[in-house]
Amino acid sequence: MNGPALESLRGALRGPVLAPGDPGYDEARGIYNAMIDRRPAAIAGCVDVADVRTVLSFAQDAGVELAVRGGGHSGPGLCLVDDALTLDLTPMRWVDVDQETRTARVGGGSQLGDLDHATHTFGLATPAGIVSTTGVGGLTLGGGHGHLTRRYGLTIDNLLSADVVLADGTSVTASENDHPDLLWALRGGGGNFGVVTSFTFRLHPVDTVGVALTVWPVDRTREVLQWYREFLPAAPQELTGFFALLTVPPAPPFPEPIHGRKVCGVVWCYTGDLEGDRLEKTLTVVNTPGPPAFHFTTPMPYPALQSMFDGLMPKGLQWYWRGDFFDAIPDDAIAVHEQYGQNLPTGLSTMHLYPVDGATRRVDAGDTAWAYRHATWSGVIAGIDPEPANADLIRQWCVDYWSDLHPYSMGGAYINFLGEEESADRVRGTYRDHYDRLAAIKHTYDPDNFFQANQNIPPATS
C-alpha cells in the first residue's frame, strides 16, 4: 500500500483514510483494549455502503488483508491486523426508530449507547450488553446478552434483518424471506460472512427499571454462590442479576468504609412493576446467605443502567479475558471461585456470571447459530489494569483461573468472550453441531475466506 495507492483510495472515499505518520492515526488505531498495539497499513473510515464496497474492492485488488471495526471492543483486537487494512464502520453511527412497529434500524458503526438513547425516548429497548460504548455490530454478531436477556432473549433473538456487503461487493438484505441462511449465520456466527452496514431489531417496552447492587465479603463466596445458583434460575424472568467477584471501587454509591475491599456481589435489574416497594420486597432474599456488606436499590432509566460501568472501565485499560458457558455451579467450581476471588490481582480484575436462561430457552436450538440454548450462565474472567507493566500479571491470573474452572463448564464459550491465542477447536466447540452448517454458509457467501480477521470459520471445501 504505497503512496499512490493510498491517495487513490482517499480520492474514492467520502470517509477519511489514515496511514502511519498521518495526524490522528495513533488515536484511530486505539481500541478499547490497550493491550492490543497493532499498526494497520491504513484505517479507512466508511460513511456509507458505497465506501464499504470501495474499500472491499481496493483490498482485493491490492491483495491486502482486511479487518472490520464496528465499536472496537473486541478483546483480542480482531479489528486490527499489522500491515493490513482496517475497514472502519465507526462513522456509520445512526439509529432510526419506528414506534408503531417497535423496531429500530441501526448503523453498523453504532454503539449500544446510541441505540439505548434513541429507543428510550419511546419507552422501548432491545437486549444488549452492559457497557454503553460497546459496538452494536460485534456484540450482535456474537449473540449478545445483558440485563434484558432473561425476559426478552439474546440480541440475536431480536434481530429481524441485516444489510450486508459481501466479499464480492454484492449488497444483500438478510431476513426470514431473503437469504434466510445468511440471517441464520449472522445470528451468532461472528463476522465471518460480510460487512453488516445496518441491523434491524425488534424492540420491547422498557423504561424505568429497578436496579440493585448487593455485595458480601469475599469470604462469603461459597454461601452466596450456593444460594444464587438455586435462587436466580427459579426467579421470575422480570428479575435478572449477574454475579461478580470484584474490588469495591472508591465511588458512589458504595460507602467509604468498604472502598478497596474484595467482595462477591450481584448487580440486579428488575423490569417488573415498580409500584410501592415491589423491588425491595423481591430482594429481601439477599439476606439468606448472610447479611450483605452493602445493599442498594433505586429506580433508574434503562440507559443509565446501561452506562453505569462506563466510567469505571473506560477505553485504554489493559484487558485479558476468557470465558465459558455453564449449566450448573457445583461446589467444586465454587471452590475455584473462592480461591481466585480472594486473589484478584488488581483493583479492576473481575469475574462475571451472566444469566442466559429464561427467554433464551424459548428459541429452538436450531433457529440460530447460538449453540448453547440450555446454558444457564455465560461466564467471563477478566484481568484488567491501567498499567502495561501489569499485563503479564493479569494474563496469568486469568489463564490459571480459567484452566482450573474450565472442567466444570459446558465446553464452549460466548464467542465474544474468546480471547487471544485460543485454538480453532475452541471456535468449533463454541458452535458445536452448528459448525458444519456455518462452514457451508461461509462457502456460499465467502468461499475464499476473505473475511478471516475474526474467530474464523473456514469455508467448507465442498
Side-chain angles (χ1 to χ4, degrees):
M1 293 182 63
N2 56 25
L6 280 174
E7 289 309 310
S8 172
L9 181 60
R10 287 189 173 108
L13 292 189
R14 294 179 66 195
V17 178
L18 298 174
D22 289 342
Y25 170 79
D26 285 328
E27 181 180 357
R29 71 183 181 91
I31 57 174
Y32 190 69
N33 183 4
M35 194 178 285
I36 306 301
D37 183 21
R38 298 187 186 133
R39 301 182 66 84
I43 300 169
C46 296
V47 302
D48 54 23
V49 171
D51 276 0
V52 171
R53 296 183 66 188
T54 298
V55 172
L56 293 181
S57 177
F58 175 88
Q60 292 180 338
D61 290 345
V64 177
E65 187 175 354
L66 184 86
V68 180
R69 177 165 68 184
H73 263 242
S74 166
L78 299 174
C79 53
L80 300 175
V81 176
D82 284 328
D83 301 319
L85 176 62
T86 287
L87 188 159
D88 186 8
L89 293 170
T90 55
M92 300 178 69
R93 288 180 62 175
W94 51 264
V95 180
D96 289 332
V97 178
D98 188 323
Q99 183 180 10
E100 291 187 4
T101 62
R102 288 186 177 177
T103 60
R105 188 164 174 257
V106 184
S110 301
Q111 298 179 357
L112 299 189
D114 302 324
L115 175 58
D116 293 332
H117 171 77
T119 57
H120 182 67
T121 189
F122 299 104
L124 300 170
T126 203
I130 67 163
V131 175
S132 75
T133 58
T134 304
V136 171
L139 177 119
T140 300
L141 295 174
H145 55 60
H147 296 296
L148 303 181
T149 292
R150 293 195 76 234
R151 185 164 188 184
Y152 295 125
L154 303 168
T155 307
I156 53 172
D157 299 339
N158 297 278
L159 177 63
L160 301 176
S161 66
D163 294 322
V164 189
V165 183
L166 305 176
D168 64 2
T170 303
S171 295
V172 301
T173 298
S175 68
E176 296 287 359
N177 297 319
D178 298 303
H179 302 280
D181 56 339
L182 179 58
L183 180 65
W184 182 90
L186 295 175
R187 287 172 165 166
N192 277 281
F193 307 97
V195 180
V196 182
T197 57
S198 75
F199 301 83
T200 300
F201 296 105
R202 179 189 301 111
L203 305 176
H204 304 272
V206 179
D207 193 347
T208 297
V209 297
V211 175
L213 303 174
T214 312
V215 299
W216 297 262
V218 73
D219 58 12
R220 302 305 300 270
T221 297
R222 175 172 293 273
E223 293 90 340
V224 173
L225 269 177
Q226 287 175 336
W227 163 75
Y228 173 81
R229 71 187 178 187
E230 304 298 330
F231 168 74
L232 192 65
Q237 293 178 12
E238 292 84 2
L239 179 68
T240 192
F242 71 83
F243 177 86
L245 294 166
L246 70 152
T247 302
V248 176
F254 298 105
E256 189 172 347
I258 65 170
H259 288 178
R261 279 202 206 169
K262 291 182 173 65
V263 296
C264 62
V266 181
V267 178
W268 307 97
C269 174
Y270 182 68
T271 57
D273 183 2
L274 291 175
E275 288 296 320
D277 57 354
R278 183 70 60 85
L279 176 62
E280 289 78 4
K281 287 182 177 178
T282 300
L283 290 177
T284 55
V285 293
V286 299
N287 293 290
T288 304
F294 175 70
H295 178 64
F296 170 81
T297 64
T298 186
M300 185 178 291
Y302 179 67
L305 170 61
Q306 286 288 83
S307 60
M308 191 164 65
F309 302 107
D310 291 2
L312 183 63
M313 295 183 177
K315 176 181 176 181
L317 300 174
Q318 305 284 308
W319 283 75
Y320 191 90
W321 65 40
R322 289 194 178 182
D324 269 321
F325 286 119
F326 300 89
D327 58 359
I329 308 174
D331 286 349
D332 287 346
I334 291 176
V336 176
H337 290 304
E338 282 185 298
Q339 175 188 347
Y340 285 92
Q342 302 238 12
N343 295 287
L344 295 168
T346 61
L348 292 174
S349 295
T350 188
M351 188 283 304
H352 293 175
L353 290 170
Y354 296 102
V356 289
D357 59 337
T360 301
R361 295 180 178 173
R362 295 201 293 264
V363 177
D364 187 81
D367 286 352
T368 69
W370 181 277
Y372 282 84
R373 289 287 168 181
H374 290 289
T376 305
W377 289 280
S378 172
V380 64
I381 301 163
I384 312 168
D385 195 69
E387 293 298 329
N390 288 328
D392 290 340
L393 172 69
I394 60 177
R395 180 187 291 109
Q396 194 60 54
W397 173 81
C398 179
V399 170
D400 291 346
Y401 192 167
W402 179 87
S403 298
D404 287 347
L405 191 63
H406 181 65
Y408 307 103
S409 75
M410 299 175 74
Y414 177 37
I415 200 71
N416 290 340
F417 287 162
L418 292 186
E420 287 187 275
E421 304 162 356
E422 297 204 51
S423 68
D425 287 342
R426 279 283 280 164
V427 177
R428 180 179 284 273
T430 288
Y431 291 114
R432 297 169 127 182
D433 294 342
H434 294 165
Y435 185 88
D436 289 343
R437 182 178 176 185
L438 286 164
I441 295 171
K442 175 78 166 180
H443 178 78
T444 299
Y445 290 97
D446 184 18
D448 298 322
N449 202 17
F450 180 65
F451 298 109
Q452 58 180 270
N454 45 47
Q455 300 292 359
N456 195 236
I457 302 170
T461 55
S462 62

